[in-house]
């Protein structure tokens, strides 16, 4: 099933009469409330998706800053978004698909044709397509989402991953090396290899080609057929890397608790420096 859709492909689906549900998933770490941007201009018919309230289960920092929503809550949200059986679901944002990928990842194994708009709203506008203002409240959907694992790795899985396969840290090199930290303690999980999620993003904000992504993975000396576990700071950017690697035909799991959970566990070691082992702290 396709993972991405271009603006012109989306227009073709709409003109063909396909039932399409558009999800506007605007969110950034430094600007978590995306609704003002959504109201000021969004794809016609798109419904706003609150990442922190609908694509996460708030109030459980002990398991990470953005733990997964409970199945019943996700299904209720999907119905609020108006999703019905047979719909084409397209998620997009204004941040290179980093937040839209979270919606894709949560929904991809639940019987839906769900795709990410390649290039997001910026690509839509650049193609000369119109946007609309205001809020959209669609008729309530009736989708039944199966309660299936989207591909979750636990903290124990993450700790074992370097020995059983590969653990990939998708944060920036500065955060990985321990040279910078906004909120959590700096450093990385021992044994993790650093492949920043931004390395999969082309200059125009679209996802790089499958060949380019495979080359990036190979440059990190990772066997794409092995078990690969991804993590980031909060479990959001990891979904973008999961999308990128899926485009390249590479299966992954995500340690959703990510660094925000790891650093809360006082018995977990932390590595600093440019290599997987580097200098260990916490032993």
């Amino acid at each position: 099933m396709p993972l991405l859709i271009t603006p012109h492909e989306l227009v073709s689906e709409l003109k063909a009469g396909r039932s399409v549900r558009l999800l506007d998933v605007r969110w950034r770490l430094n600007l978590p409330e995306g609704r003002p941007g959504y109201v000021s201009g969004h794809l016609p018919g798109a419904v706003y998706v609150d990442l922190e309230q609908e694509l996460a289960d708030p109030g459980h920092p002990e398991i990470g800053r953005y733990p997964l929503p409970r199945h019943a809550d996700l299904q209720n949200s999907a119905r609020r978004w108006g999703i019905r059986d047979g719909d084409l679901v397209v998620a997009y944002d204004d941040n290179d698909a980093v937040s839209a990928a979270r919606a894709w990842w949560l929904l991809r194994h639940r019987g839906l044709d769900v795709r990410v708009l390649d290039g997001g709203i910026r690509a839509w506008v650049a193609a000369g397509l119109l946007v609309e203002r205001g809020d959209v409240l669609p008729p309530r959907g009736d989708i039944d989402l199966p309660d299936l694992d989207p591909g979750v790795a636990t903290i124990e899985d993450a700790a074992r991953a370097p020995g059983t396969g590969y653990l990939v840290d998708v944060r920036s090199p500065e955060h990985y090396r321990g040279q910078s930290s906004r909120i959590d303690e700096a450093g990385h999980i021992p044994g993790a290899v650093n492949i920043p999620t931004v390395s999969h993003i082309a200059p125009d904000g679209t996802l790089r080609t499958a060949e380019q992504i495979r080359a990036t993975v190979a440059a990190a000396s990772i066997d794409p057929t092995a078990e690969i576990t991804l993590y980031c700071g909060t479990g959001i950017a990891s979904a973008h890397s999961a999308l990128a690697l899926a485009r390249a035909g590479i299966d992954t799991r995500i340690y959703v608790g990510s660094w925000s959970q790891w650093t809360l566990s006082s018995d977990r070691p932390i590595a600093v420096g440019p290599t997987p082992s580097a200098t260990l702290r916490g032993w």
Side-chain angles (χ1 to χ4, degrees), residues 4-275:
L4 304 173
I5 189 169
T6 68
H8 289 301
E9 288 171 342
L10 176 54
V11 169
S12 295
E13 292 283 0
L14 292 167
K15 286 183 177 179
R18 179 83 183 268
S19 179
V20 180
R21 179 55 54 205
L22 301 173
L23 307 182
D24 188 307
V25 197
R26 286 187 230 199
W27 176 92
R28 299 168 187 255
L29 275 173
N30 63 340
L31 193 66
E33 179 51 72
R35 184 177 289 277
Y38 161 81
V39 172
S40 67
H42 55 79
L43 270 64
V47 61
Y48 176 67
V49 175
D50 189 324
L51 184 148
E52 295 194 5
Q53 298 298 318
E54 297 183 298
L55 302 182
D57 189 13
H60 300 281
E62 71 282 0
I63 54 175
R65 198 163 296 126
Y66 300 114
L68 298 188
R70 292 173 295 178
H71 173 258
D73 293 336
L74 180 62
Q75 176 160 283
N76 184 57
S77 295
R79 290 178 176 179
R80 185 192 73 78
W81 305 331
I83 298 177
R84 294 179 174 274
D85 188 44
D87 283 353
L88 167 61
V89 180
V90 177
Y92 73 90
D93 58 34
D94 61 353
N95 188 28
D96 303 331
V98 171
S99 51
R102 171 81 165 204
W104 165 83
W105 185 76
L106 279 171
L107 297 174
R108 63 177 180 148
H109 289 328
R110 301 180 192 268
L112 297 174
D113 182 356
V114 55
R115 310 181 201 178
V116 172
L117 181 63
D118 203 15
I121 191 170
R122 286 179 289 187
W124 180 267
V125 172
L129 300 168
L130 298 178
V131 297
E132 67 178 14
R133 297 177 181 272
D135 207 352
V136 173
L137 299 175
R140 188 170 178 83
D142 59 3
I143 192 69
D144 286 319
L145 297 179
D147 189 5
L148 299 175
D149 175 17
V152 175
T154 67
I155 191 170
E156 295 297 340
D157 294 331
R160 290 190 295 264
T164 59
Y166 298 92
L167 180 64
V168 178
D169 185 321
V170 311
R171 298 174 301 158
S172 70
E174 292 76 19
H175 286 85
Y176 172 84
R177 295 173 183 174
Q179 297 170 332
S180 174
S181 180
R182 296 173 185 170
I183 300 174
D184 306 307
E185 187 173 354
H188 61 267
I189 298 175
V193 177
N194 187 212
I195 305 180
T197 198
V198 296
S199 64
H200 305 308
I201 301 172
D204 63 356
T206 59
L207 202 62
R208 292 194 184 277
T209 67
E211 293 74 16
Q212 291 171 323
I213 294 166
R214 282 193 288 267
T216 298
V217 172
S221 300
I222 289 179
D223 177 0
T225 65
E227 185 176 89
I228 299 173
T229 301
L230 309 172
Y231 82 94
C232 55
T234 62
I236 305 299
S238 299
H240 181 275
S241 286
L243 173 68
L245 270 63
R247 186 179 202 190
I250 302 172
D251 292 329
T252 60
R253 296 187 302 164
I254 293 179
Y255 166 34
V256 179
S258 282
W259 194 240
S260 62
Q261 181 188 26
W262 186 273
T263 55
L264 288 179
S265 303
S266 59
D267 60 336
R268 299 291 177 180
I270 292 174
V272 294
T275 61

